[in-house]
Amino acid sequence: MEVFLTIFIILILCGLVAGFLAGLFGIGGGVIMVPVMFFLLSDLGYAEYAMAMSVATSAAVILPTALTGTIKYNRDACFSFQPAIILGIGGIFGSMLGSTMSVLISNQAHVIAFSCFLVFLALWMAIKQSSFFFNFKIRESTITFIILGVGVGIAAGLFGVGGGVILTPVLTSLLGMNIHRSIGISLSSMVLIASGTVLSYIILGFDVSNLFPYSIGYVNILFAAVLVCASIPSVQLGVRTGKKMDERKLLILFISMLMILAIRMIFSV
C-alpha cells in the first residue's frame, strides 16, 4: 500500500509540472514525464520495457493536455489552424515509424538517444538565436510543413515528447515565427501526432507480457489517468504565464530545462 501511495504522489507532482510546462512552452510535458516514468518503472522492476512504456504513456497523457492548451490558444486568437493540421497529418505517419523503431532498439540505446536528442535541441536552439543565423529563414509552405510534420512525428514516436519540444524551436528559429504563435501551432498539431503515437504503441505492445498492471499494449492506463488529472489544471496556468513572459526569458528557460533533463538522463545509464 505504501509503495502505491509513493507512486501516486510522484505521478501527481510530475503531472502538475508537466502540465504547467505544456502550457508554458507548448511541449506537451513529455520531456518531464518520460524521465520520471522511466526511473519509476525501472525501480519497480520493469526496466526491460521501461522506456517504451514511458514513451507510450507520455503520448497518451499529451492528448488531453495538448487539447486543453489548444482550446485556450484558440480562444485568445493565437491559433493557426492550417499549419497545425498539415503538420499533424505528416506527424501521424512519422510517429508510426518512430514508434516501430523504438521497440527495435535496446533500452539503453533508447535512453542515450533520448538524452542526446535533448542536448541537440538545446544547443541548436541557442545557436539559432545568434546574429549569424538571424536572417536565415525558410518560407512557410505546405511542403515545408509536411516535411517538418513527418520528421517531428518520427522523433515523437521515438521519444514520446509529442512533437512540441521539436516544433517550438524549429518554428521560432527556422521559420521565423514568434514564440507565442509557434507554441499555439505546436499544441494543436500535437493532438494528431500523439494520437498516431498512442495507437502505434498499443498495437506494438499488445502481445507483450510482463508489463506493469493496467497496461494496454505499452500504454499504462493507471499512470496516464493520474498524470492527466494532475496536468490538465496546471496547463492553463502555464499558458497564462507564458503569455505574460518576455520572449527572450522564455527562450532561455526553455533551453536551460532541456539541458538539465538531458544531463540527468545520461547519468542514469
Side-chain angles (χ1 to χ4, degrees):
M1 185 66 181
E2 184 177 345
V3 174
F4 282 99
L5 180 61
T6 302
I7 293 173
F8 181 78
I9 293 173
I10 292 173
L11 291 176
I12 286 290
L13 293 174
C14 175
L16 290 172
V17 175
F20 179 78
L21 293 178
L24 185 64
F25 296 123
I27 60 174
V31 292
I32 295 292
M33 292 184 290
V34 171
V36 170
M37 285 189 285
F38 169 75
F39 295 132
L40 190 56
L41 287 167
S42 296
D43 289 342
L44 291 171
Y46 296 88
E48 183 179 359
Y49 302 112
M51 196 63 189
M53 292 180 67
S54 300
V55 170
T57 306
S58 172
V61 177
I62 285 168
L63 274 171
T65 54
L67 183 59
T68 301
T70 298
I71 293 171
K72 175 63 178 177
Y73 266 82
N74 187 30
R75 288 174 179 171
D76 294 341
C78 294
F79 181 71
S80 297
F81 185 77
Q82 185 175 0
I85 294 298
I86 297 172
L87 282 165
I89 292 174
I92 290 175
F93 292 101
S95 67
M96 292 180 178
L97 178 58
S99 302
T100 303
M101 292 169 59
S102 72
V103 299
L104 297 178
I105 62 178
S106 68
N107 190 64
Q108 185 179 34
H110 203 171
V111 173
I112 294 174
F114 181 84
S115 303
C116 293
F117 165 73
L118 293 182
V119 172
F120 168 77
L121 278 180
L123 293 177
W124 180 73
M125 190 173 182
I127 292 171
K128 289 292 292 183
Q129 304 311 309
S130 69
S131 59
F132 179 80
F133 291 101
F134 187 77
N135 294 320
F136 178 72
K137 298 290 184 295
I138 294 178
R139 185 175 63 89
E140 294 183 28
S141 68
T142 300
I143 296 299
T144 299
F145 287 130
I146 290 175
I147 294 173
L148 284 177
V150 173
V152 165
I154 291 173
L158 269 171
F159 306 124
V161 293
V165 70
I166 314 164
L167 277 177
T168 298
V170 167
L171 296 177
T172 54
S173 56
L174 203 58
L175 272 68
M177 294 183 186
N178 68 67
I179 193 167
H180 297 295
R181 183 187 176 213
S182 70
I183 288 175
I185 293 174
S186 295
L187 282 168
S188 53
S189 62
M190 278 195 295
V191 175
L192 294 175
I193 295 172
S195 297
T197 303
V198 170
L199 179 61
S200 297
Y201 274 106
I202 289 176
I203 295 172
L204 290 168
F206 194 77
D207 294 326
V208 178
S209 58
N210 300 321
L211 297 176
F212 192 80
Y214 307 105
S215 293
I216 301 178
Y218 287 111
V219 179
N220 187 267
I221 303 302
L222 179 62
F223 279 28
V226 176
L227 288 168
V228 166
C229 291
S231 62
I232 286 182
S234 59
V235 72
Q236 298 286 354
L237 177 61
V239 169
R240 290 195 296 269
T241 303
K243 289 179 180 296
K244 296 176 182 178
M245 290 184 66
D246 175 74
E247 183 171 334
R248 182 174 178 81
K249 291 180 180 178
L250 197 57
L251 288 169
I252 292 173
L253 283 174
F254 186 63
I255 293 169
S256 301
M257 181 192 64
L258 293 180
M259 291 298 296
I260 292 171
L261 288 169
I263 292 170
R264 179 67 182 90
M265 289 291 289
I266 288 174
F267 279 101
S268 72
V269 297

